Short mmCIF file of all heavy atoms in Angstrom, two decimals:
data_model
loop_
_atom_site.label_atom_id
_atom_site.label_comp_id
_atom_site.label_asym_id
_atom_site.label_seq_id
_atom_site.Cartn_x
_atom_site.Cartn_y
_atom_site.Cartn_z
N CYS A 199 3.04 19.15 68.49
CA CYS A 199 2.44 19.04 69.82
C CYS A 199 0.94 18.95 69.72
O CYS A 199 0.35 19.11 68.63
CB CYS A 199 2.86 20.20 70.72
SG CYS A 199 2.56 21.84 70.05
N ILE A 200 0.32 18.66 70.85
CA ILE A 200 -1.13 18.56 70.95
C ILE A 200 -1.63 19.83 71.62
O ILE A 200 -1.11 20.24 72.65
CB ILE A 200 -1.55 17.32 71.75
CG1 ILE A 200 -0.99 16.05 71.08
CG2 ILE A 200 -3.07 17.24 71.87
CD1 ILE A 200 -1.18 14.79 71.91
N CYS A 201 -2.66 20.42 71.05
CA CYS A 201 -3.22 21.67 71.56
C CYS A 201 -4.47 21.40 72.38
O CYS A 201 -5.21 20.44 72.10
CB CYS A 201 -3.56 22.59 70.39
SG CYS A 201 -4.15 24.23 70.88
N GLY A 202 -4.71 22.25 73.36
CA GLY A 202 -5.95 22.13 74.12
C GLY A 202 -7.17 22.20 73.24
O GLY A 202 -8.18 21.53 73.50
N SER A 203 -7.10 22.99 72.15
CA SER A 203 -8.26 23.07 71.25
C SER A 203 -8.48 21.76 70.48
O SER A 203 -9.60 21.48 70.04
CB SER A 203 -8.10 24.24 70.28
OG SER A 203 -6.98 24.05 69.43
N ASP A 204 -7.41 20.94 70.33
CA ASP A 204 -7.59 19.63 69.70
C ASP A 204 -8.49 18.73 70.54
O ASP A 204 -9.11 17.80 70.02
CB ASP A 204 -6.23 18.93 69.52
CG ASP A 204 -5.33 19.61 68.50
OD1 ASP A 204 -5.85 20.25 67.58
OD2 ASP A 204 -4.10 19.49 68.65
N LEU A 205 -8.54 19.00 71.83
CA LEU A 205 -9.34 18.14 72.71
C LEU A 205 -10.84 18.27 72.45
O LEU A 205 -11.60 17.35 72.75
CB LEU A 205 -9.05 18.46 74.18
CG LEU A 205 -7.63 18.18 74.67
CD1 LEU A 205 -7.50 18.55 76.14
CD2 LEU A 205 -7.26 16.71 74.46
N TYR A 208 -11.37 15.71 69.97
CA TYR A 208 -11.15 14.42 70.64
C TYR A 208 -12.37 14.02 71.46
O TYR A 208 -12.77 12.85 71.49
CB TYR A 208 -9.92 14.54 71.53
CG TYR A 208 -9.57 13.31 72.34
CD1 TYR A 208 -9.06 12.17 71.71
CD2 TYR A 208 -9.69 13.30 73.72
CE1 TYR A 208 -8.71 11.05 72.46
CE2 TYR A 208 -9.34 12.19 74.47
CZ TYR A 208 -8.85 11.06 73.83
OH TYR A 208 -8.50 9.96 74.57
N ARG A 209 -13.00 14.98 72.12
CA ARG A 209 -14.16 14.70 72.96
C ARG A 209 -15.47 14.70 72.19
O ARG A 209 -16.53 14.45 72.75
CB ARG A 209 -14.25 15.75 74.07
CG ARG A 209 -13.09 15.72 75.05
CD ARG A 209 -13.04 16.99 75.88
NE ARG A 209 -11.95 16.97 76.84
CZ ARG A 209 -11.44 18.06 77.41
NH1 ARG A 209 -11.93 19.26 77.10
NH2 ARG A 209 -10.44 17.95 78.28
N GLU A 223 0.44 22.60 65.15
CA GLU A 223 1.64 23.22 65.70
C GLU A 223 2.85 22.35 65.35
O GLU A 223 2.92 21.20 65.78
CB GLU A 223 1.52 23.34 67.22
CG GLU A 223 0.31 24.14 67.68
CD GLU A 223 -0.08 23.82 69.12
OE1 GLU A 223 -0.65 22.74 69.34
OE2 GLU A 223 0.20 24.64 70.00
N GLN A 281 0.56 16.79 63.25
CA GLN A 281 0.96 15.63 64.05
C GLN A 281 1.26 14.44 63.12
O GLN A 281 0.57 13.43 63.12
CB GLN A 281 -0.13 15.29 65.06
CG GLN A 281 -0.29 16.36 66.13
CD GLN A 281 -1.61 16.29 66.87
OE1 GLN A 281 -2.28 15.26 66.85
NE2 GLN A 281 -2.01 17.38 67.51
N ALA A 343 -2.00 25.95 78.67
CA ALA A 343 -0.77 26.47 78.07
C ALA A 343 -0.92 27.90 77.57
O ALA A 343 -0.01 28.72 77.70
CB ALA A 343 -0.31 25.55 76.93
N ARG A 369 0.37 23.65 87.51
CA ARG A 369 0.23 24.71 86.51
C ARG A 369 0.44 26.09 87.13
O ARG A 369 1.10 26.95 86.53
CB ARG A 369 -1.13 24.61 85.83
CG ARG A 369 -1.34 23.29 85.13
CD ARG A 369 -2.69 23.23 84.44
NE ARG A 369 -2.89 21.94 83.76
CZ ARG A 369 -3.80 21.73 82.82
NH1 ARG A 369 -4.62 22.70 82.46
NH2 ARG A 369 -3.91 20.55 82.24
N VAL A 481 5.74 24.79 79.47
CA VAL A 481 4.35 24.36 79.28
C VAL A 481 4.29 22.93 78.75
O VAL A 481 3.24 22.28 78.84
CB VAL A 481 3.56 25.30 78.33
CG1 VAL A 481 3.55 26.71 78.89
CG2 VAL A 481 4.09 25.27 76.91
N ASP A 483 5.07 19.25 79.30
CA ASP A 483 5.45 18.40 80.44
C ASP A 483 5.36 16.92 80.14
O ASP A 483 5.47 16.09 81.03
CB ASP A 483 4.58 18.73 81.66
CG ASP A 483 3.09 18.51 81.42
OD1 ASP A 483 2.69 18.32 80.25
OD2 ASP A 483 2.33 18.54 82.40
N MET A 484 5.18 16.56 78.87
CA MET A 484 5.15 15.15 78.47
C MET A 484 5.63 15.07 77.03
O MET A 484 5.31 15.94 76.21
CB MET A 484 3.74 14.58 78.59
CG MET A 484 3.61 13.11 78.21
SD MET A 484 1.89 12.51 78.48
CE MET A 484 2.05 10.82 77.88
N VAL A 491 1.04 9.33 70.13
CA VAL A 491 0.13 10.48 70.13
C VAL A 491 -1.24 10.17 70.74
O VAL A 491 -1.76 10.96 71.54
CB VAL A 491 0.00 11.06 68.70
CG1 VAL A 491 -1.11 12.11 68.65
CG2 VAL A 491 1.31 11.68 68.26
N PRO A 492 -1.88 9.03 70.42
CA PRO A 492 -3.17 8.75 71.06
C PRO A 492 -3.08 8.77 72.59
O PRO A 492 -3.99 9.28 73.27
CB PRO A 492 -3.55 7.37 70.53
CG PRO A 492 -2.88 7.31 69.19
CD PRO A 492 -1.57 8.01 69.38
N GLY A 493 -2.00 8.23 73.14
CA GLY A 493 -1.81 8.28 74.58
C GLY A 493 -1.61 9.70 75.09
O GLY A 493 -2.01 10.03 76.22
N GLY A 494 -1.01 10.54 74.26
CA GLY A 494 -0.85 11.94 74.62
C GLY A 494 -2.18 12.65 74.73
O GLY A 494 -2.38 13.47 75.64
N TYR A 495 -3.10 12.35 73.81
CA TYR A 495 -4.44 12.93 73.90
C TYR A 495 -5.12 12.50 75.20
O TYR A 495 -5.75 13.33 75.88
CB TYR A 495 -5.29 12.50 72.71
CG TYR A 495 -5.15 13.39 71.51
CD1 TYR A 495 -4.13 13.21 70.59
CD2 TYR A 495 -6.04 14.44 71.29
CE1 TYR A 495 -3.98 14.04 69.49
CE2 TYR A 495 -5.91 15.27 70.20
CZ TYR A 495 -4.89 15.07 69.30
OH TYR A 495 -4.75 15.90 68.21
N LYS A 496 -5.02 11.23 75.52
CA LYS A 496 -5.66 10.74 76.74
C LYS A 496 -5.08 11.44 77.97
O LYS A 496 -5.82 11.83 78.89
CB LYS A 496 -5.47 9.23 76.87
CG LYS A 496 -6.18 8.60 78.05
CD LYS A 496 -6.01 7.08 78.07
CE LYS A 496 -6.83 6.46 79.19
NZ LYS A 496 -6.45 6.99 80.52
N ALA A 497 -3.77 11.63 77.98
CA ALA A 497 -3.12 12.28 79.13
C ALA A 497 -3.57 13.73 79.27
O ALA A 497 -3.81 14.21 80.40
CB ALA A 497 -1.61 12.20 78.99
N MET A 498 -3.71 14.44 78.17
CA MET A 498 -4.18 15.81 78.27
C MET A 498 -5.66 15.86 78.64
O MET A 498 -6.09 16.74 79.39
CB MET A 498 -3.93 16.56 76.96
CG MET A 498 -2.47 16.94 76.76
SD MET A 498 -2.13 17.86 75.24
CE MET A 498 -3.10 19.36 75.46
N ASP A 499 -6.44 14.91 78.15
CA ASP A 499 -7.86 14.89 78.47
C ASP A 499 -8.11 14.63 79.94
O ASP A 499 -9.00 15.23 80.55
CB ASP A 499 -8.56 13.83 77.62
CG ASP A 499 -10.07 13.82 77.81
OD1 ASP A 499 -10.69 14.90 77.72
OD2 ASP A 499 -10.63 12.74 78.07
N ASP A 500 -7.30 13.74 80.55
CA ASP A 500 -7.52 13.46 81.97
C ASP A 500 -6.65 14.35 82.87
O ASP A 500 -6.58 14.13 84.08
CB ASP A 500 -7.30 11.97 82.28
CG ASP A 500 -5.87 11.48 82.09
OD1 ASP A 500 -4.93 12.31 82.11
OD2 ASP A 500 -5.68 10.26 81.95
N ARG A 501 -6.01 15.34 82.27
CA ARG A 501 -5.23 16.35 82.98
C ARG A 501 -4.00 15.80 83.69
O ARG A 501 -3.48 16.42 84.62
CB ARG A 501 -6.11 17.14 83.97
CG ARG A 501 -7.11 18.04 83.29
CD ARG A 501 -7.86 18.91 84.31
NE ARG A 501 -8.74 19.86 83.64
CZ ARG A 501 -8.40 21.08 83.22
NH1 ARG A 501 -7.15 21.48 83.39
NH2 ARG A 501 -9.27 21.87 82.64
N SER A 502 -3.54 14.64 83.26
CA SER A 502 -2.26 14.16 83.78
C SER A 502 -1.10 14.79 83.01
O SER A 502 0.06 14.64 83.40
CB SER A 502 -2.18 12.64 83.72
OG SER A 502 -2.33 12.15 82.40
N ALA A 503 -1.40 15.50 81.93
CA ALA A 503 -0.41 16.26 81.19
C ALA A 503 -0.99 17.63 80.85
O ALA A 503 -2.18 17.76 80.58
CB ALA A 503 0.02 15.54 79.92
N LEU A 504 -0.14 18.64 80.88
CA LEU A 504 -0.55 19.99 80.50
C LEU A 504 -0.51 20.15 78.98
O LEU A 504 -1.52 20.52 78.36
CB LEU A 504 0.38 21.01 81.16
CG LEU A 504 0.34 22.45 80.68
CD1 LEU A 504 -1.05 23.05 80.81
CD2 LEU A 504 1.37 23.30 81.42
N LYS A 505 0.64 19.86 78.38
CA LYS A 505 0.77 19.97 76.92
C LYS A 505 1.81 18.97 76.47
O LYS A 505 2.92 18.91 77.03
CB LYS A 505 1.15 21.39 76.51
CG LYS A 505 1.08 21.63 75.00
CD LYS A 505 1.19 23.10 74.68
CE LYS A 505 1.12 23.36 73.18
NZ LYS A 505 -0.21 23.01 72.59
N VAL A 506 1.47 18.19 75.47
CA VAL A 506 2.29 17.06 75.03
C VAL A 506 3.07 17.45 73.78
O VAL A 506 2.50 17.93 72.79
CB VAL A 506 1.43 15.83 74.75
CG1 VAL A 506 2.27 14.70 74.15
CG2 VAL A 506 0.73 15.36 76.04
N ILE A 507 4.37 17.24 73.83
CA ILE A 507 5.22 17.47 72.67
C ILE A 507 5.42 16.14 71.94
O ILE A 507 5.50 15.08 72.56
CB ILE A 507 6.56 18.11 73.09
CG1 ILE A 507 7.27 18.77 71.90
CG2 ILE A 507 7.47 17.10 73.77
CD1 ILE A 507 8.38 19.71 72.31
#
Side-chain angles (χ1 to χ4, degrees):
C199 54
I200 302 171
C201 184
S203 64
D204 292 332
L205 295 180
Y208 178 71
R209 295 165 179 160
E223 302 158 285
Q281 293 162 19
R369 300 181 180 198
V481 301
D483 60 348
M484 180 177 177
V491 171
Y495 273 85
K496 184 177 185 301
M498 285 181 62
D499 185 50
D500 65 21
R501 291 186 175 272
S502 59
L504 166 59
K505 189 168 180 66
V506 174
I507 198 165

